[in-house]
Amino acid sequence: MRFDRDSFAEVMDSITRNRSRSLLTGFGVFWGVFMLILLAGGGKGLKQLMEKNFEGFATNTCLAFAENTTKPYKGFKKGRSWDMTYTDASRVKALVPEVDVVSPIVSFWGKTAELGEFTASCSIKGVYSNYSSIESPQLAYGRYINDMDVSAERKVCVIGKKIYNNLFPQGGDPCGETIRVDGMYYTVVGVDFNNGNISINGSADETVTMPISLVRRAYNTGEVIDLLCFTAQEGVTVSDIVPRVREIIARQHFIDPSDERAIEMMNTQLIFGIVDSLFKGINFLIWLIGLGTILAGAIGVSNIMMVSVRERTVEIGIRRAIGATPGMILSQIISESIILTLASGLAGIVFGVGVLSVVELAMTTDGILKAEFQVGFSMALLSAMLLTVLGVLAGLAPSLRAMEIKPVDAMRDE
Amino acid sequence: MLIELKDINKTYYGAQPLHVLKGVTLGIERGEFVSIMGASGSGKSTLLNILGILDNYDSGEYRIDGKLIWNLSEKEAANYRNRLIGFIFQSYNLIGFKTAVENVELPLLYQGVPRKKRRQMAMDYLERLGLKEWAGHYPSEMSGGQKQRVAIARALITKPSIILADEPTGALDSRTSVEIMELLSELNRTENMTVIVVTHESGVANFTNKIVHIKDGMIGEIEANARHDASPFGAGGIMK
C-alpha cells in the first residue's frame, strides 16, 4: 500500500466532493476527541487543585486528640474527660519504633496580634522544631522555630501570610520586629507563606507559631497538650501503627483500649487514600466517556463510508475496469477513512487544547497558575495514533465491501 | 492471431441456470475492425465481458496474443485490462467529479506514470480528439459526443492492443454516432488499432470491416463488410 501525492489527491477529491456529509461525519470524531481532551485536562486540573489543599502536609501523618470516654473502664464511668500530656508523646516515641516524628501541639484561638496601629486576628500554636516535618512551612522571610528557641523559651514567633499582610502592609522583611499578642511581646523570626488548606488548629495563614515551651509557660498549660501529631517512618503506613499508639495512650490514662471515640485519631493517609481513589474513579469515567464518544464517532465514519461505497459502486467499477487493482481500491477507501478520522480528530485536539489554555488563563491570578489543566504532548500524540488506528478499523468494513465490487457491476448498474 | 476464443462456455447459475455462451469459437487478427452483432439476450454482452477480462468463463480457451486468460487473480486481471484493453462504454462511464483530462489520465495513474508525464500525454490525446479546450471541464458540462470522445481518449492512452466498445453510440444522436464511428474507423485505419464493437444496430455494424452475428449464445454468420454496404444508416447517414 503506497501513499503518495496522487493517492492523497484522490482521497481529498472524494472527501471534498460531499463536503457537508464529510463535515458532519467528522464532527462525531471531532467531538469525541474534544471531549476526551477537555475531560482529561479538567480532571488533571481538578486533581491539582485538590492536591493544592494538602500541599506542605505530610501524607503519612496521624493526629491524636482527647475526647470524652464512651466506655466505662477500670472503675471509671463513661463520659469522663481527660487530657493528653507530654508523657504520651515521649512514650509513643519510645515504645513504637516505627514512628518517625512525634510532635505535641498546644494552641489557642481567637487571639489578636498587634503592631502599632495594625491588628490581625490569629491563633497561637506552640510547637517543637520538628513540627516542620509534619506541616512544612514555606518561609518567605527568616527561619522556623528551632531547638534553641524551645529549650531557651525564647520569645520568638513565625507569623502566617495573612498576619504578615495585616501587620506589615508596607511589606519588607519583618524579622526582628516585635509584635504583641495578649499583652506579651514576641520577636518575629520568620514568615510562613504556606497556603495549603489543610492545617491543624487554625489555618497557617492566621497562625502565630511559637516555641511550645514558651506557650506552656505564658499560658500556664502545665503538662497538658492539645494535639499529638506523629508520622510513620518511610516504608511503614501510619494506619498500621495507629492501634498500638492508641493502646499506649489508653493504658496511661485508664481508657478502654477498644474505646475508639475517646482517643480521636485523624489519619491523613486515609483521607489522601479516599481522594486518590476518588480521582482514580473520575479518571476511569473520563476515559470511558471520552473513548466511548470517539468510538461512536468512528462507527459513524464507518457507517458513512459504507453508504459512500454503495453510492460509488459505478465509480469503483469504472476504476476497476480501467486497471485499478483491488488493493488500490482498498487503500483508497482506508485512506479516506483515516484522513477523515485523523483530520477531524486533530481539529478536536487543537480545539480542546485551545479551550484548556483559556481555562488556564482564567485560573491564573497574579501571574501564578493555580493548577495545570493543559494535557501533555504525549497525550496528544497518543490520541493521534489512536485516531489513525480507529481510522483503519473504521475503513475496514467499507473497503472490504468496495473490494467486492466487480467491474461488471458498474456496467450492470446502468 | 491477436484474439483466440476456443469453445467458450458460460453459464449463469441463478434460480434457473442460464447457459449464455454455448461453445463460442472466434478469432480476430491484429488490426481488424470487427463488430459483434446480436439482439439483447443473445449473449453478446457476456462475450464482451469475457473478452474484456471483466468476467470469467466456465470452459474453453481464451488467448490474447498467445497468453492464456484463465484463472487470473484480480490483480493480474486488472493489470491485463489496464495494459491490453481500452474500454468504451455506452454510458461513457466517466468519473463525474473529475475533469476531462483527469479522467483521461486515470489509467496512467494506475500504471504509476509520473504526474507531469501523465498530464502531458492526456493533453496530447485530448488534442488529437479535438477536445483541448475542454480539458478542464467536468463531464456534466459536455455533450454526449464530447463525453464519448473523452472516453475514447481514456481508452487510447495506455496504447492498448484492443479497443472494446460496448454500444459506443447507444446514447448518442445519429449525427454524433456517425462521428464517433468514423473516429473509431480512422483509428483502425491510421494506427492499425484492433477495434471490437458490440452493438445491436446494423448501422453501427456497417462501419466495421467484419460483422460477427451472435444468436442464442452461438456464433452465427460472419460476414465480411469491406464495402460497408451491409445496411447503412438511412439516407444521408441519418437513421437510427
Side-chain angles (χ1 to χ4, degrees):
Chain A
M1 232 198 254
R2 79 202 154 86
F3 196 77
D4 50 25
R5 209 171 134 197
D6 287 330
S7 9
F8 184 72
E10 288 282 305
V11 168
M12 285 323 279
D13 250 14
S14 316
I15 289 180
T16 48
R17 189 152 47 104
N18 221 324
R19 216 164 296 212
S20 52
R21 187 164 76 186
S22 299
L23 276 178
L24 287 175
T25 310
F27 185 78
V29 176
F30 164 82
W31 192 251
V33 174
F34 173 63
M35 285 307 269
L36 180 64
I37 295 278
L38 204 65
L39 286 174
K44 185 176 155 191
L46 277 182
K47 189 171 180 193
Q48 281 198 9
L49 281 182
M50 199 78 170
E51 277 169 351
K52 268 256 151 61
N53 288 339
F54 306 130
E55 208 171 64
F57 203 87
T59 49
N60 218 4
T61 303
C62 186
L63 314 175
F65 51 95
E67 293 276 0
N68 289 351
T69 58
T70 58
K71 290 179 182 172
Y73 189 63
K74 290 205 170 162
F76 292 105
K77 278 185 183 170
K78 66 175 187 178
R80 173 173 63 99
S81 77
W82 63 284
D83 288 309
M84 252 191 279
T85 62
Y86 289 93
T87 324
D88 290 319
S90 41
R91 278 173 63 86
V92 167
K93 181 68 185 163
L95 295 175
V96 187
E98 291 94 333
V99 157
D100 189 17
V101 178
V102 179
S103 185
I105 296 177
V106 179
S107 49
F108 291 93
W109 290 272
K111 303 294 185 187
T112 307
E114 292 162 77
L115 176 71
E117 70 210 75
F118 303 112
T119 59
S121 61
C122 67
S123 58
I124 290 172
K125 199 189 269 180
V127 300
Y128 283 108
S129 62
N130 65 5
Y131 184 68
S132 61
S133 52
I134 288 169
E135 193 180 359
S136 58
Q138 290 183 353
L139 293 166
Y141 297 104
R143 61 174 177 83
Y144 199 64
I145 304 295
N146 63 24
D147 289 335
M148 287 298 288
D149 296 332
V150 177
S151 55
E153 294 173 23
R154 283 180 183 157
K155 293 174 97 178
V156 293
C157 67
V158 173
I159 57 177
K161 187 179 177 182
K162 211 162 174 180
I163 298 170
Y164 167 70
N165 286 340
N166 285 340
L167 297 188
F168 301 93
Q170 75 283 4
D173 188 351
C175 293
E177 299 281 339
T178 307
I179 62 167
R180 193 174 69 170
V181 183
D182 268 348
M184 275 171 281
Y185 291 88
Y186 303 91
T187 308
V188 176
V189 292
V191 179
D192 180 7
F193 266 40
N194 185 352
N195 55 359
N197 285 345
I198 273 206
S199 35
I200 304 163
N201 286 1
S203 128
D205 270 1
E206 296 188 286
T207 299
V208 177
T209 312
M210 297 174 190
I212 191 166
S213 50
L214 179 68
V215 179
R216 181 181 177 180
R217 180 174 293 264
Y219 291 91
N220 217 0
T221 55
E223 277 297 304
V224 174
I225 58 172
D226 291 322
L227 205 62
L228 184 68
C229 309
F230 58 93
T231 62
Q233 264 170 4
E234 232 176 84
V236 182
T237 46
V238 76
S239 316
D240 291 345
I241 56 176
V242 159
R244 278 156 64 199
V245 172
R246 184 189 300 284
E247 205 189 316
I248 288 165
I249 298 174
R251 194 180 304 143
Q252 186 78 358
H253 297 277
F254 304 105
I255 294 164
D256 188 341
S258 64
D259 189 354
E260 300 209 338
R261 302 269 295 281
I263 307 170
E264 200 69 56
M265 295 273 197
M266 231 178 76
N267 186 343
T268 57
Q269 197 208 3
L270 222 60
I271 300 169
F272 284 117
I274 290 169
V275 172
D276 212 53
S277 45
L278 177 74
F279 273 98
K280 275 205 183 98
I282 290 179
N283 249 337
F284 174 74
L285 271 182
I286 285 172
W287 283 94
L288 194 73
I289 294 169
L291 290 183
T293 321
I294 293 183
L295 203 66
I299 289 171
V301 169
S302 190
N303 236 327
I304 283 296
M305 294 295 296
M306 214 74 167
V307 173
S308 150
V309 162
R310 184 131 201 93
E311 262 183 19
R312 287 157 61 188
T313 305
V314 176
E315 179 209 320
I316 292 168
I318 296 167
R319 285 175 189 272
R320 296 276 284 109
I322 61 177
T325 60
M328 290 169 180
I329 300 295
L330 179 91
S331 91
Q332 158 134 21
I333 302 294
I334 288 196
S335 306
E336 279 182 37
S337 165
I338 291 177
I339 287 187
L340 197 61
T341 317
L342 201 59
S344 34
L346 289 182
I349 292 178
V350 169
F351 194 57
V353 165
V355 169
L356 287 179
S357 292
V358 173
V359 170
E360 278 199 346
L361 217 60
M363 293 298 289
T364 305
T365 41
D366 308 332
I368 298 165
L369 192 58
K370 275 202 203 120
E372 251 178 71
F373 281 84
Q374 197 56 269
V375 294
F377 185 69
S378 55
M379 162 101 183
L381 211 64
L382 190 83
S383 322
M385 283 194 294
L386 178 81
L387 286 168
T388 316
V389 173
L390 276 178
V392 173
L393 292 181
L396 219 51
S399 61
L400 287 179
R401 177 173 279 191
M403 263 175 72
E404 278 169 16
I405 296 175
K406 300 264 181 299
V408 217
D409 296 335
M411 319 297 133
R412 282 204 197 116
D413 213 77
E414 293 305 308
Chain B
M1 200 71 85
L2 179 64
I3 290 177
E4 275 182 279
L5 292 169
K6 218 181 276 172
D7 198 26
I8 297 285
N9 281 285
K10 174 77 180 175
T11 307
Y12 286 117
Y13 295 97
Q16 201 139 45
L18 199 60
H19 199 176
V20 187
L21 293 181
K22 300 161 184 164
V24 170
T25 302
L26 182 66
I28 294 170
E29 298 282 353
R30 191 178 293 278
E32 273 194 290
F33 188 16
V34 186
S35 59
I36 296 172
M37 258 196 86
S40 59
S42 60
K44 64 182 194 311
S45 287
T46 307
L47 183 59
L48 175 98
N49 287 342
I50 289 170
L51 282 173
I53 328 183
L54 298 171
D55 209 347
N56 297 319
Y57 50 95
D58 299 332
S59 67
E61 243 179 49
Y62 170 33
R63 287 172 192 276
I64 301 176
D65 224 358
K67 278 187 289 269
L68 181 66
I69 306 297
W70 175 250
N71 232 348
L72 298 179
S73 72
E74 289 282 357
K75 200 175 167 185
E76 285 168 322
N79 216 347
Y80 278 130
R81 279 198 296 271
N82 185 268
R83 288 172 194 277
L84 295 178
I85 301 161
F87 287 97
I88 301 167
F89 303 100
Q90 172 176 359
S91 47
Y92 329 120
N93 279 355
L94 299 176
I95 294 179
F97 59 92
K98 286 179 178 292
T99 60
V101 67
E102 283 169 349
N103 263 293
V104 173
E105 64 179 27
L106 200 56
L108 294 182
L109 173 85
Y110 293 130
Q111 280 185 9
V113 176
R115 151 189 303 271
K116 273 213 179 94
K117 191 174 176 216
R118 224 162 56 203
R119 184 53 56 102
Q120 182 60 43
M121 283 175 76
M123 287 306 289
D124 284 351
Y125 274 93
L126 282 177
E127 194 173 356
R128 271 176 59 186
L129 296 177
L131 286 167
K132 199 182 172 196
E133 293 74 31
W134 293 85
H137 287 255
Y138 289 92
S140 55
E141 299 161 352
M142 292 190 256
S143 71
Q146 284 169 329
K147 278 191 265 195
Q148 197 57 297
R149 274 184 288 160
V150 172
I152 292 173
R154 184 179 65 185
L156 290 175
I157 199 159
T158 56
K159 303 192 175 71
S161 315
I162 310 157
I163 294 280
L164 271 184
D166 181 14
E167 303 275 13
T169 62
L172 300 175
D173 62 58
S174 54
R175 191 186 299 274
T176 325
S177 297
V178 170
E179 275 172 32
I180 292 294
M181 287 317 292
E182 274 171 353
L183 180 61
L184 289 177
S185 159
E186 189 194 320
L187 281 171
N188 169 251
R189 258 182 288 116
T190 58
E191 315 228 343
N192 203 29
M193 186 77 78
T194 314
V195 180
I196 302 171
V197 179
V198 173
T199 185
H200 66 275
E201 282 177 48
S202 54
V204 169
N206 186 39
F207 276 90
T208 62
N209 299 331
K210 191 161 129 184
I211 302 172
V212 177
H213 292 274
I214 182 167
K215 199 179 174 191
D216 299 332
M218 283 181 289
I219 300 289
E221 189 189 355
I222 300 180
E223 55 178 309
N225 186 31
R227 288 166 53 212
H228 303 290
D229 56 1
S231 50
F233 282 121
I238 319 284
M239 185 213 90
K240 281 272 277 193

